[in-house]
Amino acid sequence: MEPISNGNSTATTASVTSLNTTATTTPSSKLTESLKLEHQLLRVPFEHYKKTIRANHRVVEKEVSAVISGIPDSADISRDDAIQHLNSLVSRLQGLKRKLEDGSKAERLQAQRCRARLDHLESADSENMSEWNNTRLNRILVDYMLRMSYYDTATKLAETSNIQDLVDIDIFYEAKKVIDALHNKEVAPALAWCADNKSRLKKFKSKFEFQLRLQEFIELVRSENNMQAIIYARKYLSPWAATYMKEFQKVFVTLAYTSYTGLELYKVLFEPKQWDYLMDQFKQEFCRLYGMTLEPLLNIFLQAGLSALKTPLCYEDDCTKEDPLSQESFRKLATPLPFSKQHHSKLVCYITKELMDTENPPLVLPNGYVYSTKALEEMASNNNGKITCPRTGEVYNYTEVTKAFIS
């Protein structure tokens, strides 16, 4: 049966709703629904694992190709020179071996984290849900702190909770370098990040690198170094012009207006908030790259919880003080969120799967479970007036059922 969803229901109806929701949401179904929200937990280390493998593969291709092309032709070189050159190639291959050992360690670390997170999800069951949820709460808090740049606090919480393999501190420290640089109005680390992830960003049709190039161009115009700005535009902006012609033209016109222009269309390009925009854009691209949610998980869970609690009754003067939304602070947070219950919903019988309405009203068993009149009457007629609850197996007389009134 679907939960009753009229916010103005009577106390009887509210009780029926609560009991019915508890009945239909078993611990196993709660767990199943809960694990559906853990996409980010597995996706992030997996994406990092793939990135590490690709980086190691590029190193091997580059070094091996250089060694092969560097093998001398025996006809054009003396014996001593050939030996010396081959020794240098051997040294280069030994250097490659050391790099691969470091790369292998990084791969094993990411594989270990993937395994740890799978084990964590598999360990969730009804017997240890309290402990499992505490671990999840700590993960969510660490995720929020990292996104809000509270790196030291996030690290300490992860260490004290022993969940280092379940959180993504190292990845966020990677992002921190770029964010700090953009905060200091430097684009080099951000451009290096774009180069490292060029294929993925291209797949996403990201324009972040183009925006960084535009900002570099603007800074050259701001410093009145117009000739260098033109050279820079030819080298770095022209390849993007066909795709982003309007933005390209708009920025290029600043050569004529300079940073002292009073025209709002071009003046805004020289404002400091453009760097804030780049930081926000980087955070979005960073989350997309690793399959993270754009919003912190804490915000998502908080919004889901408040929305589930939010009903028109919460805003009534006689709202019970036990309801969190009776407090003004919670009401303010829930203001932009939708109500959890619609004014026009359907009640479906658990047994017959038919709608319950005025022609087939809902009846409540003494144990609180709700079924349609048609289903219970048919069951009673076939069992000498006895009714067996299909969920609990308890047996009652038909005379013990009561009507549920929905307002």
PDB file of all heavy atoms in Angstrom, residues 189-205:
ATOM      1  N   PRO A 189      48.709  25.980 -13.077  1.00  0.00           N
ATOM      2  CA  PRO A 189      48.315  24.664 -12.553  1.00  0.00           C
ATOM      3  C   PRO A 189      46.996  24.163 -13.134  1.00  0.00           C
ATOM      4  O   PRO A 189      46.832  22.964 -13.377  1.00  0.00           O
ATOM      5  CB  PRO A 189      48.194  24.914 -11.039  1.00  0.00           C
ATOM      6  CG  PRO A 189      49.075  26.078 -10.780  1.00  0.00           C
ATOM      7  CD  PRO A 189      48.944  26.947 -11.984  1.00  0.00           C
ATOM      8  N   ALA A 190      46.059  25.071 -13.375  1.00  0.00           N
ATOM      9  CA  ALA A 190      44.778  24.674 -13.961  1.00  0.00           C
ATOM     10  C   ALA A 190      44.966  24.181 -15.396  1.00  0.00           C
ATOM     11  O   ALA A 190      44.350  23.199 -15.821  1.00  0.00           O
ATOM     12  CB  ALA A 190      43.794  25.844 -13.930  1.00  0.00           C
ATOM     13  N   LEU A 191      45.829  24.856 -16.145  1.00  0.00           N
ATOM     14  CA  LEU A 191      46.108  24.422 -17.518  1.00  0.00           C
ATOM     15  C   LEU A 191      46.823  23.077 -17.527  1.00  0.00           C
ATOM     16  O   LEU A 191      46.574  22.233 -18.398  1.00  0.00           O
ATOM     17  CB  LEU A 191      46.956  25.473 -18.236  1.00  0.00           C
ATOM     18  CG  LEU A 191      46.240  26.779 -18.594  1.00  0.00           C
ATOM     19  CD1 LEU A 191      47.235  27.806 -19.111  1.00  0.00           C
ATOM     20  CD2 LEU A 191      45.140  26.535 -19.619  1.00  0.00           C
ATOM     21  N   ALA A 192      47.717  22.858 -16.552  1.00  0.00           N
ATOM     22  CA  ALA A 192      48.394  21.565 -16.448  1.00  0.00           C
ATOM     23  C   ALA A 192      47.385  20.468 -16.124  1.00  0.00           C
ATOM     24  O   ALA A 192      47.480  19.348 -16.661  1.00  0.00           O
ATOM     25  CB  ALA A 192      49.476  21.634 -15.367  1.00  0.00           C
ATOM     26  N   TRP A 193      46.439  20.778 -15.281  1.00  0.00           N
ATOM     27  CA  TRP A 193      45.376  19.813 -14.952  1.00  0.00           C
ATOM     28  C   TRP A 193      44.556  19.492 -16.200  1.00  0.00           C
ATOM     29  O   TRP A 193      44.201  18.325 -16.433  1.00  0.00           O
ATOM     30  CB  TRP A 193      44.493  20.377 -13.854  1.00  0.00           C
ATOM     31  CG  TRP A 193      43.402  19.467 -13.407  1.00  0.00           C
ATOM     32  CD1 TRP A 193      43.487  18.449 -12.485  1.00  0.00           C
ATOM     33  CD2 TRP A 193      42.036  19.466 -13.859  1.00  0.00           C
ATOM     34  NE1 TRP A 193      42.277  17.827 -12.341  1.00  0.00           N
ATOM     35  CE2 TRP A 193      41.368  18.432 -13.165  1.00  0.00           C
ATOM     36  CE3 TRP A 193      41.327  20.246 -14.757  1.00  0.00           C
ATOM     37  CZ2 TRP A 193      40.015  18.151 -13.353  1.00  0.00           C
ATOM     38  CZ3 TRP A 193      39.978  19.971 -14.955  1.00  0.00           C
ATOM     39  CH2 TRP A 193      39.331  18.948 -14.273  1.00  0.00           C
ATOM     40  N   CYS A 194      44.246  20.493 -16.991  1.00  0.00           N
ATOM     41  CA  CYS A 194      43.499  20.267 -18.238  1.00  0.00           C
ATOM     42  C   CYS A 194      44.294  19.383 -19.195  1.00  0.00           C
ATOM     43  O   CYS A 194      43.718  18.522 -19.870  1.00  0.00           O
ATOM     44  CB  CYS A 194      43.178  21.603 -18.908  1.00  0.00           C
ATOM     45  SG  CYS A 194      41.947  22.612 -18.043  1.00  0.00           S
ATOM     46  N   ALA A 195      45.605  19.595 -19.247  1.00  0.00           N
ATOM     47  CA  ALA A 195      46.440  18.784 -20.127  1.00  0.00           C
ATOM     48  C   ALA A 195      46.471  17.331 -19.672  1.00  0.00           C
ATOM     49  O   ALA A 195      46.428  16.403 -20.501  1.00  0.00           O
ATOM     50  CB  ALA A 195      47.855  19.356 -20.162  1.00  0.00           C
ATOM     51  N   ASP A 196      46.526  17.113 -18.349  1.00  0.00           N
ATOM     52  CA  ASP A 196      46.542  15.752 -17.813  1.00  0.00           C
ATOM     53  C   ASP A 196      45.236  15.013 -18.085  1.00  0.00           C
ATOM     54  O   ASP A 196      45.221  13.775 -18.180  1.00  0.00           O
ATOM     55  CB  ASP A 196      46.796  15.778 -16.299  1.00  0.00           C
ATOM     56  CG  ASP A 196      48.222  16.183 -15.972  1.00  0.00           C
ATOM     57  OD1 ASP A 196      49.082  16.065 -16.870  1.00  0.00           O
ATOM     58  OD2 ASP A 196      48.475  16.623 -14.834  1.00  0.00           O
ATOM     59  N   ASN A 197      44.153  15.763 -18.192  1.00  0.00           N
ATOM     60  CA  ASN A 197      42.829  15.138 -18.365  1.00  0.00           C
ATOM     61  C   ASN A 197      42.178  15.552 -19.683  1.00  0.00           C
ATOM     62  O   ASN A 197      40.955  15.626 -19.786  1.00  0.00           O
ATOM     63  CB  ASN A 197      41.915  15.529 -17.191  1.00  0.00           C
ATOM     64  CG  ASN A 197      42.472  15.104 -15.859  1.00  0.00           C
ATOM     65  OD1 ASN A 197      42.383  13.960 -15.449  1.00  0.00           O
ATOM     66  ND2 ASN A 197      43.071  16.056 -15.142  1.00  0.00           N
ATOM     67  N   LYS A 198      43.010  15.811 -20.661  1.00  0.00           N
ATOM     68  CA  LYS A 198      42.537  16.377 -21.927  1.00  0.00           C
ATOM     69  C   LYS A 198      41.479  15.509 -22.608  1.00  0.00           C
ATOM     70  O   LYS A 198      40.446  16.002 -23.058  1.00  0.00           O
ATOM     71  CB  LYS A 198      43.722  16.589 -22.866  1.00  0.00           C
ATOM     72  CG  LYS A 198      43.366  17.330 -24.142  1.00  0.00           C
ATOM     73  CD  LYS A 198      44.612  17.646 -24.951  1.00  0.00           C
ATOM     74  CE  LYS A 198      44.260  18.451 -26.204  1.00  0.00           C
ATOM     75  NZ  LYS A 198      45.481  18.798 -26.983  1.00  0.00           N
ATOM     76  N   SER A 199      41.730  14.200 -22.690  1.00  0.00           N
ATOM     77  CA  SER A 199      40.797  13.316 -23.403  1.00  0.00           C
ATOM     78  C   SER A 199      39.449  13.250 -22.717  1.00  0.00           C
ATOM     79  O   SER A 199      38.396  13.273 -23.376  1.00  0.00           O
ATOM     80  CB  SER A 199      41.393  11.915 -23.524  1.00  0.00           C
ATOM     81  OG  SER A 199      41.648  11.367 -22.239  1.00  0.00           O
ATOM     82  N   ARG A 200      39.453  13.194 -21.388  1.00  0.00           N
ATOM     83  CA  ARG A 200      38.180  13.131 -20.651  1.00  0.00           C
ATOM     84  C   ARG A 200      37.403  14.441 -20.770  1.00  0.00           C
ATOM     85  O   ARG A 200      36.182  14.439 -20.947  1.00  0.00           O
ATOM     86  CB  ARG A 200      38.444  12.824 -19.177  1.00  0.00           C
ATOM     87  CG  ARG A 200      39.085  11.477 -18.918  1.00  0.00           C
ATOM     88  CD  ARG A 200      38.174  10.312 -19.279  1.00  0.00           C
ATOM     89  NE  ARG A 200      36.863  10.417 -18.653  1.00  0.00           N
ATOM     90  CZ  ARG A 200      36.623  10.125 -17.370  1.00  0.00           C
ATOM     91  NH1 ARG A 200      37.604   9.724 -16.581  1.00  0.00           N
ATOM     92  NH2 ARG A 200      35.408  10.235 -16.876  1.00  0.00           N
ATOM     93  N   LEU A 201      38.103  15.557 -20.657  1.00  0.00           N
ATOM     94  CA  LEU A 201      37.441  16.851 -20.762  1.00  0.00           C
ATOM     95  C   LEU A 201      36.870  17.060 -22.166  1.00  0.00           C
ATOM     96  O   LEU A 201      35.796  17.643 -22.332  1.00  0.00           O
ATOM     97  CB  LEU A 201      38.420  17.977 -20.419  1.00  0.00           C
ATOM     98  CG  LEU A 201      38.897  18.020 -18.960  1.00  0.00           C
ATOM     99  CD1 LEU A 201      39.965  19.082 -18.782  1.00  0.00           C
ATOM    100  CD2 LEU A 201      37.734  18.277 -18.011  1.00  0.00           C
ATOM    101  N   LYS A 202      37.601  16.575 -23.168  1.00  0.00           N
ATOM    102  CA  LYS A 202      37.103  16.666 -24.532  1.00  0.00           C
ATOM    103  C   LYS A 202      35.835  15.839 -24.708  1.00  0.00           C
ATOM    104  O   LYS A 202      34.895  16.249 -25.389  1.00  0.00           O
ATOM    105  CB  LYS A 202      38.182  16.194 -25.511  1.00  0.00           C
ATOM    106  CG  LYS A 202      37.810  16.351 -26.971  1.00  0.00           C
ATOM    107  CD  LYS A 202      38.952  15.927 -27.877  1.00  0.00           C
ATOM    108  CE  LYS A 202      38.566  16.099 -29.353  1.00  0.00           C
ATOM    109  NZ  LYS A 202      39.696  15.670 -30.247  1.00  0.00           N
ATOM    110  N   LYS A 203      35.806  14.689 -24.062  1.00  0.00           N
ATOM    111  CA  LYS A 203      34.621  13.833 -24.120  1.00  0.00           C
ATOM    112  C   LYS A 203      33.415  14.529 -23.500  1.00  0.00           C
ATOM    113  O   LYS A 203      32.287  14.382 -23.964  1.00  0.00           O
ATOM    114  CB  LYS A 203      34.916  12.521 -23.393  1.00  0.00           C
ATOM    115  CG  LYS A 203      33.785  11.516 -23.425  1.00  0.00           C
ATOM    116  CD  LYS A 203      34.181  10.237 -22.699  1.00  0.00           C
ATOM    117  CE  LYS A 203      33.024   9.237 -22.708  1.00  0.00           C
ATOM    118  NZ  LYS A 203      33.392   7.991 -21.968  1.00  0.00           N
ATOM    119  N   PHE A 204      33.647  15.291 -22.429  1.00  0.00           N
ATOM    120  CA  PHE A 204      32.571  16.031 -21.762  1.00  0.00           C
ATOM    121  C   PHE A 204      32.214  17.324 -22.486  1.00  0.00           C
ATOM    122  O   PHE A 204      31.297  18.030 -22.077  1.00  0.00           O
ATOM    123  CB  PHE A 204      32.983  16.392 -20.323  1.00  0.00           C
ATOM    124  CG  PHE A 204      33.191  15.214 -19.433  1.00  0.00           C
ATOM    125  CD1 PHE A 204      34.139  15.255 -18.422  1.00  0.00           C
ATOM    126  CD2 PHE A 204      32.453  14.058 -19.595  1.00  0.00           C
ATOM    127  CE1 PHE A 204      34.340  14.172 -17.589  1.00  0.00           C
ATOM    128  CE2 PHE A 204      32.649  12.968 -18.763  1.00  0.00           C
ATOM    129  CZ  PHE A 204      33.598  13.018 -17.769  1.00  0.00           C
ATOM    130  N   LYS A 205      32.970  17.656 -23.561  1.00  0.00           N
ATOM    131  CA  LYS A 205      32.803  18.919 -24.276  1.00  0.00           C
ATOM    132  C   LYS A 205      32.985  20.104 -23.333  1.00  0.00           C
ATOM    133  O   LYS A 205      32.236  21.090 -23.376  1.00  0.00           O
ATOM    134  CB  LYS A 205      31.432  18.977 -24.957  1.00  0.00           C
ATOM    135  CG  LYS A 205      31.246  17.905 -26.020  1.00  0.00           C
ATOM    136  CD  LYS A 205      29.894  18.014 -26.697  1.00  0.00           C
ATOM    137  CE  LYS A 205      29.738  16.939 -27.775  1.00  0.00           C
ATOM    138  NZ  LYS A 205      28.419  17.008 -28.434  1.00  0.00           N
TER     139      LYS A 205
END
